[in-house]
Amino acid sequence: MIRSIRFFILFALTAGVLSCRKPQPVETKIEAAPVYTIGTYGYDASFLREHTNQVVELSNEDHSAKILLSAEYQGRVMTSTAKGDSGVSFGWINYKLLGSGKKIKQFNPVGGEERFWLGPEGGQYALYFKKGDSFDLDHWQVPAILDTLPYEVSQASPTQALFTAKASLTNYSGTPFSIGIERRVNLLDKQTIASKLNVTLPESLSLVGYETENKIQNLGKEDWKKEKGLLSIWLLGMMTPSDQTTVMIPFHPKPNSRQLITDNYFGAIPPERLRVTDSVLYFRCDGKLRSKIGLSPRIAKTIAASYDFRQNVLTLILFPVDNTGRYVNSTWKLQDQPYQGDVVNAYNDGPQADGTQMGPFYEIESSSTANELKAGQSQTYRQMTCHFQGDYETLHTLMQSLTGIDMNTLKN
C-alpha cells in the first residue's frame, strides 16, 4: 500500500514537471530569394514576368546561356545573358513604359534585342504610312501586328520556341496583303556557334547565341507583284549603349563604296561619330545623337558587330546577303528606286527635336530580299545573334579572325 502511494506521488510530480515544459519550436531556415541589380539578366527576367504576359525562357543545361522571349510582343527576344541570372542583360528594356501598363497608339518602344518587323517603312509601298499622308513623325504608325498584338506559342521546348500569327495590311499605294507569320527561335550551344562562325572558341569566353527563322506566307488569292509593292522581313535589335560602344560593319571595298552607304536618314552625322575607311564603317552608338546608317547589298558582307569597351562585350549578327537581290527602300519619301534599299543598318538613339527620347538604346538591323510570292508561297529569313564576354585580348583576336577589324585602332 505504501509502495503504491509512493509510486502515485512520483508519477504526479513527474507529470507536473513535464506539463510545465514548453514545446521547443522547430527551427527552419527560409532562404531569401536573390535580389538582382538593374542591368542583370535576373533583374530583367523578374521585371518582365511581373509586367508582361506569356514570357518564354530558353536555357542551356548549366543555365549560363539564357534568352527571354515574349509572345505578347510578337515572339521577340527581349534579352539574353552569357553568365546566368547575375550576368549582364544584353537587351535594352523600357522599364518606364512596361511598368506603366499603358499602350501608346503610334509605337510602343518596349525594347528587346531582336524583334520581327516588315518593310518597307517609307515610300510609295510603305506599311507605316497611310495613302496621302505626309512622311513625317506625326503620321508614322507602326502596324499593330508588329507592335501590340500577341503571337501564339505554337511549340516550346527548353531550347526552342515557335510563334505564329496572321495579319492583313495595306500599303501606301493601296495594295492589300494577307500574311501568315512564323517565327522560330533556337538557342544555340557553343559547338554549334563555333561551327557556324568557323572558328575555335576559347574556353575562357562566356557566350550566348541564338538563331531566328522568320517566315512570311502569301495567304491571299492574288500574287504579290513588285509593281504594287512587296514585303521584306526586317529584324531589329535594341541594345543598351554605353559611352564606349561602337558599331563596326565591314564591307567589300569598291571604287564607289561610299556612295552605297546611306548616312543622312536623320541629318548629317558628325565625323567624330562616323568614320568610313575603304572596307569598314565605324559608328559611335552611345544613345546621345539620333542618327542612322545603312549599307547596300552591293557592298555589304554577311556580318555586323558592336563592341562595348566599358564592359568588354562583343556582339555579332550574321545574316544572308544577295548582292543582286531586290531590297526595299525605307526612306521617308516617294522614291525613284523603291527596291534599292539597305540590307544592314545601325541606329543610334538620341533626343528628338522636342527634347524627348525613346531610349537611350542602339540598334543593329538586317533585312531580307523582297520577293514576288505567288498565292500560297512563302519566304524564310534567318539571322544569328551572339554575345561574347571575356578579356579584351581574346575578344580582339576573335573579332579580327572573323572580320579582319583591328579594334586597337578604336581603343587607342
Side-chain angles (χ1 to χ4, degrees):
M1 180 70 177
I2 294 174
R3 184 179 296 174
S4 299
I5 292 172
R6 287 175 178 169
F7 176 78
F8 176 78
I9 293 172
L10 181 62
F11 175 80
L13 290 171
T14 305
V17 172
L18 290 173
S19 65
C20 290
R21 290 181 181 174
K22 294 182 179 180
Q24 297 298 311
V26 179
E27 201 172 308
T28 57
K29 292 184 178 180
I30 300 175
E31 293 186 7
V35 178
Y36 297 104
T37 58
I38 193 167
T40 64
Y41 178 86
Y43 181 94
D44 285 351
S46 176
F47 181 90
L48 290 169
R49 290 188 175 106
E50 180 181 354
H51 295 285
T52 65
N53 300 313
Q54 292 183 287
V55 174
V56 178
E57 183 176 75
L58 307 183
S59 175
N60 65 356
E61 290 185 359
D62 67 5
H63 305 294
S64 59
K66 294 183 176 185
I67 60 176
L68 274 179
L69 315 175
S70 172
E72 181 178 357
Y73 289 102
Q74 305 83 48
R76 77 180 63 190
V77 180
M78 296 301 296
T79 191
S80 63
T81 181
K83 293 185 176 183
D85 290 339
S86 61
V88 174
S89 183
F90 296 121
W92 177 77
I93 306 296
N94 192 335
Y95 304 113
K96 184 177 180 180
L97 179 57
L98 286 171
S100 72
K102 298 177 181 178
K103 300 287 186 184
I104 302 172
K105 181 180 178 181
Q106 191 175 34
F107 169 51
N108 289 266
V110 298
E113 64 174 80
E114 193 201 274
R115 72 181 185 271
F116 172 89
W117 268 17
L118 295 170
E121 184 176 11
Q124 55 265 48
Y125 303 134
L127 298 175
Y128 300 72
F129 293 90
K130 292 181 181 179
K131 187 172 184 177
D133 281 351
S134 301
F135 292 110
D136 55 39
L137 196 58
D138 289 338
H139 293 92
W140 179 67
Q141 176 64 58
V142 180
I145 195 64
L146 308 176
D147 188 39
T148 55
L149 293 179
Y151 288 11
E152 181 181 345
V153 183
S154 298
Q155 296 175 16
S157 74
T159 58
Q160 186 181 112
L162 174 66
F163 304 90
T164 56
K166 293 181 181 180
S168 295
L169 298 174
T170 302
N171 70 12
Y172 187 89
S173 295
T175 303
F177 296 90
S178 181
I179 312 162
I181 299 169
E182 289 188 6
R183 177 167 160 81
R184 187 183 299 276
V185 185
N186 296 288
L187 179 67
L188 306 176
D189 59 34
K190 186 173 185 178
Q191 291 73 24
T192 302
I193 294 171
S195 176
K196 286 180 176 289
L197 295 177
N198 195 27
V199 295
T200 299
L201 294 172
E203 289 297 324
S204 61
L205 283 183
S206 299
L207 67 149
V208 60
Y210 55 89
E211 183 178 63
T212 63
E213 182 180 287
N214 307 273
K215 183 168 78 171
I216 56 173
Q217 184 179 14
N218 180 358
L219 298 180
K221 296 180 180 180
E222 301 293 328
D223 298 345
W224 296 353
K225 298 289 188 181
K226 65 178 183 179
E227 294 81 10
K228 294 186 176 182
L230 299 175
L231 308 181
S232 69
I233 297 167
W234 186 10
L235 303 179
L236 307 91
M238 287 180 166
M239 314 291 182
T240 303
S242 80
D243 55 0
Q244 297 180 45
T245 299
T246 298
V247 167
M248 294 163 279
I249 305 179
F251 56 87
H252 296 289
K254 290 187 176 181
N256 63 339
S257 292
R258 195 64 182 85
Q259 299 173 25
L260 299 173
I261 298 173
T262 303
D263 61 3
N264 59 351
Y265 280 94
F266 304 110
I269 303 174
E272 66 270 17
R273 289 185 164 271
L274 177 65
R275 181 161 65 93
V276 182
T277 70
D278 63 342
S279 60
V280 184
L281 178 150
Y282 301 94
F283 181 39
R284 184 191 299 178
C285 287
D286 54 5
K288 296 180 180 178
L289 180 70
R290 190 167 183 250
S291 44
K292 182 176 179 177
I293 57 90
L295 279 74
S296 163
R298 292 163 60 187
I299 59 169
K301 293 186 175 181
T302 59
I303 189 170
S306 69
Y307 196 82
D308 182 347
F309 286 88
R310 190 175 68 184
Q311 298 194 91
N312 277 335
V313 174
L314 171 63
T315 296
L316 302 174
I317 68 166
L318 290 94
F319 47 91
V321 175
D322 181 350
N323 56 22
T324 61
R326 185 187 295 118
Y327 287 84
V328 298
N329 188 339
S330 280
T331 53
W332 290 15
K333 63 180 182 179
L334 297 177
Q335 302 150 1
D336 296 329
Q337 302 291 341
Y339 296 112
Q340 290 188 13
D342 302 325
V343 61
V344 59
N345 298 85
Y347 170 81
N348 184 43
D349 191 41
Q352 300 183 56
D354 61 0
T356 62
Q357 186 169 354
M358 287 189 291
F361 57 84
Y362 75 97
E363 291 182 325
I364 305 177
E365 314 166 6
S366 78
S367 296
S368 74
T369 54
N371 297 348
E372 292 185 307
L373 299 181
K374 297 183 181 298
Q377 278 190 332
S378 61
Q379 173 183 358
T380 300
Y381 183 69
R382 295 176 179 86
Q383 178 178 283
M384 183 170 78
T385 300
C386 302
H387 303 285
F388 301 90
Q389 281 183 284
D391 66 90
Y392 173 76
E393 289 304 327
T394 302
L395 292 170
H396 172 259
T397 300
L398 176 62
M399 181 68 167
Q400 202 160 29
S401 66
L402 289 171
T403 65
I405 295 174
D406 181 1
M407 294 195 302
N408 286 332
T409 59
L410 293 173
K411 187 178 181 182
N412 297 332

